[in-house]
Amino acid sequence: MQRARASLALRGWHGTAQRVLQEFRRIPEEDEALSLLPLDEPFAPFAVPRAEAPRVSIVIPTYGKLPYTLACLRSIVLHASATPIEIIVVDDAAPDDSAAVLAGVTGLRVLRNERNLGFIGSCNAGAQAARGEFLLFLNNDTQVTSGWMEALLQCFAERSDCGIAGSKLVYPDGRLQEAGGLVFDDGSCWNLGRFESRDAPAWQFRREVDYVSGAALMIRRTLFEYVGCFDTLLSPAYYDDTDLAFAVRAAGWRVYYEPASMVIHCEGISAGTDLSSGMKRFQTINQDKFVAKWRGVLAGHPSRQTALDQAVHWRARGRLLVVDGTTPDASRDSGSLRLMEMFEIFRSLGWSVTFCPDDTRTSRADMHRLGRFGVEILALSSAEGLPRWLAEHGKELRAVMLCRHTVAGQYLHIVRQHAPQAKLIFDTVDLHFVREQRAAELSGQASMLRQAKLSRQSELTLIADSDVTFVVSPDEQALLRSLAPAARVELVSNIHVIHGCTKPHAERRGLLFVGGHGHPPNVDAMRWIAGAILPELRKVDPDVVVHILGDISDALRAELAQDGLQLHGRVADLDPWMETCLASLAPLRFGAGVKGKINMSMSYGLPVIATPLAVEGMHLHDRDNVLLAGEAEAFAAAYRQLRDDPALWSRLSAAGLDNIRHYFSVEAATRTLQRVLN
């Protein structure tokens, strides 16, 4: 009845009914996809990894239940990695023969308590004996999965404020057991995602939580010692992991749930599930102790009457919905790279970000990639799903960013209807009508010019109806000052991390073009390279090679194929080309916005040869930080200069890096986004 009341308060009647129905669904005891190791395997001596200088010390407290401990150890061996580890099993004076059997596991460090110390005492004893930089507390009734430990380490590597990282816990039947936890103002706790699908999108993103379970918890050893280890006030067990999370936060660190780390946990094996007897009774006793210790902090936590959707995001400054045409992929296009960097900035500013792809196409890989940025993906089955979602969740939003005019045109008025309190941001990515107008002028087609005029009217209407509009170039910002003087237009240009120049002029060969066939200006540029620029280049250097990176159709590949042109398609890593090519080409004859291919090249210190249109709004000047070329012959002449003049090459390389630092850095974008969202 207590859980039913809590569920009604958190989930509402509909959510509670759905939860009740789950209990009547037939679920197998084990999910075969998890490939659990058997518990009845006869013992035969085996070895576990043991490093003399471990990076991670895995501490496993035990009290009997030997078959579970052995299965846990075998799973660690099965999913071992190159990370140097040690495994410490702390036998809490169990009355069985666990210690004798475990002595047959080579490499295992076994500590035996002289008397029963309980979970907290055993964990502290194991930590005191540990030598690793990180402590990884692991229950003996768990089995780990591929990449589980590396994902926790990655969380620490990518979140400089990470004090604790915890795994996604699942039941042997495959259902989700816990995706981090909530703590309410009365000290009671709620396991997020309990009994839901372990692959549900709502639990596939890294985020800050109130606590993570001690069943699979990583912390730096120095921090664990600094906060006083697990508090023995809570001995023998329960609320120890929650208390540790509060102590870590009080020391200035954060607690993260890491969904990429999955651990199977047979909850209740060690202590049962009855709150009125055995070890489990300490859960109620220690709640009172915990509340007395942290009463002041708990006053700022949500109450049990808070709706679950709001409680999940309570630590965030606000909830931000972002809608774009497709799920961003930084290896695909510069717009995706910019949006991914914006996601990271939003997170750093304290916002909870939910992303919806308008094409409704998303994959587990997409969820994992965006999940590392702390972004939740809405996996909606159809385009009608977003209006329904907005009707249900619009009141939770403090801001909405609609990317590109095609998306904003569909959803702007629906957002106004269901989330009137939210700041509405229109991210143009680039002004579509400017690109269309230039393409029409290049082609001379009257129909294209008419379409450009319609697009201009549509985009200007969206700009007028939005609270804030983002553009990527100062030229576009100046244009909108004249066309839409009443609108608030902010500059959020391309955002690039500085990679730096790693190889000198003498070690470089060939030229580079980055761009996929899905963008008409890129297709025109590829055809110009193949039909005019490459023949001129080969007059200067018969052996020159132009590398083209980016999605390309079979038809276009066949059309462009010739000696000296290497069509690589989309690549996962640009570094090999950015670090070895002599220069990057940007032969764009129409388009709009800031060109990511130019920014990306300059962030590696790679000089760029570009048309004047390509560098529009990018603070670039001929021979200062770029070489400009308007004709095919001029591209060949610029190539000759870079090939024959190492000093010019080095000067342009350094100046390009300076341009990125000054105008296209994370810091510059952060200032604008912070001002807008505040």
Side-chain angles (χ1 to χ4, degrees):
M1 289 302 296
Q2 182 183 18
R3 290 191 63 82
R5 285 194 298 269
S7 181
L8 285 171
L10 289 163
R11 296 189 177 105
W13 285 101
H14 177 72
T16 299
Q18 292 296 110
R19 171 67 189 90
V20 171
L21 286 174
Q22 288 179 346
E23 289 301 306
F24 294 94
R25 294 176 188 153
R26 184 168 181 172
I27 300 172
E29 290 186 9
E30 290 187 5
D31 184 337
E32 293 182 0
L34 296 177
S35 301
L36 283 162
L37 299 177
L39 298 176
D40 56 357
E41 181 179 335
F43 178 76
F46 63 97
V48 298
R50 180 173 180 175
E52 290 304 313
R55 188 177 185 209
V56 179
S57 296
I58 302 174
V59 177
I60 305 174
T62 68
Y63 183 75
K65 306 295 182 183
L66 179 62
Y68 287 91
T69 304
L70 292 172
C72 176
L73 293 173
R74 291 189 184 106
S75 74
I76 296 173
V77 174
L78 179 63
H79 299 295
S81 71
T83 303
I85 67 170
E86 65 175 351
I87 305 175
I88 302 171
V89 170
V90 183
D91 181 350
D92 197 17
D96 62 8
D97 61 347
S98 291
V101 174
L102 291 172
V105 179
T106 304
L108 185 67
R109 296 182 63 190
V110 181
L111 306 180
R112 182 171 174 83
N113 297 335
E114 294 183 3
R115 59 183 179 83
N116 185 271
L117 300 178
F119 178 84
I120 289 175
S122 295
C123 285
N124 286 345
Q128 187 175 9
R131 299 170 297 163
E133 176 188 357
F134 291 92
L135 300 173
L136 207 174
F137 295 102
L138 188 67
N139 277 17
N140 71 319
D141 55 352
T142 62
Q143 292 190 31
V144 304
T145 65
S146 178
W148 72 292
M149 184 173 63
E150 290 68 31
L152 295 176
L153 289 170
Q154 188 173 43
C155 185
F156 279 90
E158 295 176 350
R159 293 287 179 265
S160 60
D161 58 0
C162 181
I164 290 176
S167 301
K168 174 200 294 184
L169 300 180
V170 301
Y171 289 105
D173 63 21
R175 291 180 298 171
L176 182 61
Q177 182 181 118
E178 181 180 312
L182 279 172
V183 180
F184 297 104
D185 58 2
D186 64 353
S188 60
C189 301
W190 188 266
N191 295 344
L192 292 169
R194 190 179 182 92
F195 298 126
E196 296 187 27
S197 166
R198 66 178 182 273
D199 295 324
W203 314 116
Q204 300 305 310
F205 63 101
R206 180 189 295 160
R207 69 186 186 284
E208 187 181 1
V209 291
D210 293 345
Y211 75 94
V212 294
S213 171
L217 179 157
M218 180 179 279
I219 184 174
R220 281 191 171 85
R221 182 160 55 92
T222 52
L223 178 59
F224 184 73
E225 294 168 351
Y226 175 80
V227 298
C229 308
F230 285 118
D231 191 346
T232 55
L233 174 71
L234 302 171
S235 292
Y238 293 104
Y239 270 86
D240 41 86
D241 44 18
T242 314
D243 175 78
L244 181 66
F246 274 57
V248 163
R249 253 191 311 275
W253 300 85
R254 299 186 185 219
V255 178
Y256 286 99
Y257 157 70
E258 178 49 69
S261 172
M262 187 174 76
V263 171
I264 304 155
H265 182 211
C266 304
E267 184 184 49
I269 291 299
S270 300
T273 57
D274 186 353
L275 293 175
S276 64
S277 65
M279 280 284 293
K280 200 73 173 176
R281 75 185 189 279
F282 286 100
Q283 189 166 324
T284 302
I285 295 170
N286 283 349
Q287 179 176 339
D288 295 335
K289 296 179 181 178
F290 173 78
V291 170
K293 180 177 179 179
W294 297 105
R295 193 180 307 278
V297 176
L298 288 169
H301 281 235
S303 73
R304 289 199 71 104
Q305 305 308 310
T306 307
L308 185 59
D309 285 335
Q310 297 178 25
V312 168
H313 301 279
W314 84 269
R315 287 192 171 277
R317 174 174 291 181
R319 192 174 187 186
L320 166 66
L321 172 68
V322 177
V323 188
D324 199 354
T326 60
T327 302
D329 181 348
S331 69
R332 184 183 64 219
D333 59 85
S334 63
S336 290
L337 176 62
R338 172 176 173 268
L339 185 55
M340 296 292 282
E341 292 294 342
M342 291 174 75
F343 285 156
E344 181 64 14
I345 293 171
F346 292 144
R347 185 207 62 80
S348 71
L349 295 176
W351 286 77
S352 174
V353 180
T354 299
F355 174 77
C356 178
D358 183 46
D359 65 0
T360 71
R361 295 170 59 186
T362 190
S363 66
R364 294 182 68 176
D366 292 331
M367 291 185 188
H368 175 69
R369 187 175 65 254
L370 267 66
R372 287 175 54 190
F373 287 78
V375 176
E376 174 188 8
I377 294 186
L378 296 182
L380 305 176
S381 58
S382 67
E384 292 76 27
L386 182 56
R388 286 198 297 269
W389 186 90
L390 283 166
E392 184 176 350
H393 299 279
K395 61 183 180 296
E396 303 164 17
L397 302 173
R398 285 190 56 195
V400 177
M401 187 171 83
L402 303 176
C403 305
R404 306 173 206 274
H405 78 288
T406 51
V407 169
Q410 292 183 76
Y411 299 115
L412 187 146
H413 296 295
I414 298 173
V415 170
R416 288 295 194 202
Q417 177 185 353
H418 295 300
Q421 78 289 343
K423 179 172 286 187
L424 201 157
I425 302 166
F426 172 31
D427 181 17
T428 63
V429 183
D430 63 25
L431 287 176
H432 193 73
F433 76 85
V434 173
R435 173 156 41 94
E436 286 189 340
Q437 183 174 323
R438 288 172 173 169
E441 292 168 352
L442 184 66
S443 69
Q445 296 183 22
S447 60
M448 292 181 67
L449 189 58
R450 287 194 297 272
Q451 178 58 46
K453 290 180 179 178
L454 291 173
S455 294
R456 168 174 161 156
Q457 181 181 350
S458 172
E459 280 188 276
L460 291 178
T461 299
L462 292 169
I463 290 166
D465 291 343
S466 302
D467 296 321
V468 184
T469 296
F470 289 160
V471 294
V472 296
S473 80
D475 285 16
E476 291 184 346
Q477 189 177 34
L479 176 62
L480 291 182
R481 284 197 192 102
S482 63
L483 297 179
R488 180 180 177 187
V489 181
E490 295 281 356
L491 177 63
V492 182
S493 198
N494 288 351
I495 307 167
H496 291 272
V497 174
I498 305 295
H499 299 280
C501 183
T502 59
K503 293 186 184 300
H505 175 274
E507 297 180 23
R508 293 176 177 264
R509 298 288 184 276
L511 297 166
L512 173 66
F513 174 82
V514 180
H517 73 276
H519 192 47
N522 287 337
V523 176
D524 178 75
M526 286 187 239
R527 287 179 170 144
W528 193 24
I529 290 172
I533 295 176
L534 182 57
E536 292 297 328
L537 288 168
R538 302 200 81 172
K539 292 177 184 178
V540 174
D541 181 356
D543 297 323
V544 70
V545 174
V546 177
H547 302 274
I548 293 184
L549 308 182
D551 289 326
I552 186 166
S553 66
D554 292 340
L556 186 59
R557 182 185 291 274
E559 175 190 337
L560 301 180
Q562 60 180 287
D563 291 341
L565 199 62
Q566 292 192 10
L567 306 170
H568 299 277
R570 190 198 302 190
V571 298
D573 185 6
L574 294 173
D575 289 9
W577 289 273
M578 291 287 178
E579 294 174 351
T580 59
C581 284
L582 182 73
S584 178
L585 301 179
L588 302 177
R589 296 190 288 187
F590 66 95
V594 169
K595 310 306 180 294
K597 57 176 58 57
I598 295 177
N599 288 141
M600 178 61 72
S601 298
M602 289 186 172
S603 73
Y604 283 87
L606 182 63
V608 175
I609 307 171
T611 58
L613 182 144
V615 302
E616 192 176 69
M618 300 185 67
H619 312 279
L620 297 172
H621 305 282
D622 191 26
R623 299 190 66 83
D624 287 341
N625 41 26
V626 70
L627 291 183
L628 296 183
E631 304 295 336
E633 295 83 355
F635 274 89
Y639 166 69
R640 178 190 283 112
Q641 292 177 59
L642 286 176
R643 184 195 63 182
D644 298 341
D645 190 344
L648 173 65
W649 188 93
S650 297
R651 180 164 58 80
L652 291 175
S653 173
L657 285 166
D658 287 341
N659 180 267
I660 299 299
R661 290 189 188 96
H662 193 72
Y663 297 108
F664 304 104
S665 65
V666 172
E667 292 74 20
T670 300
R671 289 191 293 270
T672 300
L673 294 177
Q674 185 171 29
R675 182 173 66 250
V676 169
L677 290 173
N678 281 348

